[in-house]
Amino acid sequence: YQTDAWEVLDSDVGGPVEVVVATRSDSLHASDRDRLRKMASEREHVGCHDIDSGHWVHVERPDRLVELLAEHLPTQV
């Protein structure tokens, strides 16, 4: 249940990546949150989105999650 995906985020191979951070969850260590935010500010292909939620974002804040999906999914295939 643990995946180290920093290498994927560090590379722009595969296209843009949008990461959702549940601000009330402890699943992502504070230092990793800082690292992710820094990476998102320095790289065009990485986005970081904080949602005021616990770990189960899709249950606690489905409205915000749908907004992000609508905003970031491509409109044409």
Side-chain angles (χ1 to χ4, degrees), residues 19-70:
V19 180
V20 173
V21 176
T23 59
R24 290 185 279 119
S25 172
D26 61 359
S27 295
L28 190 60
H29 192 273
S31 63
D32 288 330
R33 290 176 193 220
D34 292 341
R35 181 179 177 188
L36 177 59
R37 288 183 184 109
K38 184 174 190 269
M39 187 177 284
S41 71
E42 295 174 347
R43 293 173 174 81
E44 281 187 36
H45 70 280
V46 178
C48 179
H49 309 277
D50 290 342
I51 294 182
D52 180 27
S53 173
H55 179 77
W56 302 105
V57 177
H58 67 292
V59 173
E60 294 179 37
R61 291 298 310 275
D63 55 334
R64 183 64 184 122
L65 201 53
V66 168
E67 287 174 10
L68 284 171
L69 285 169

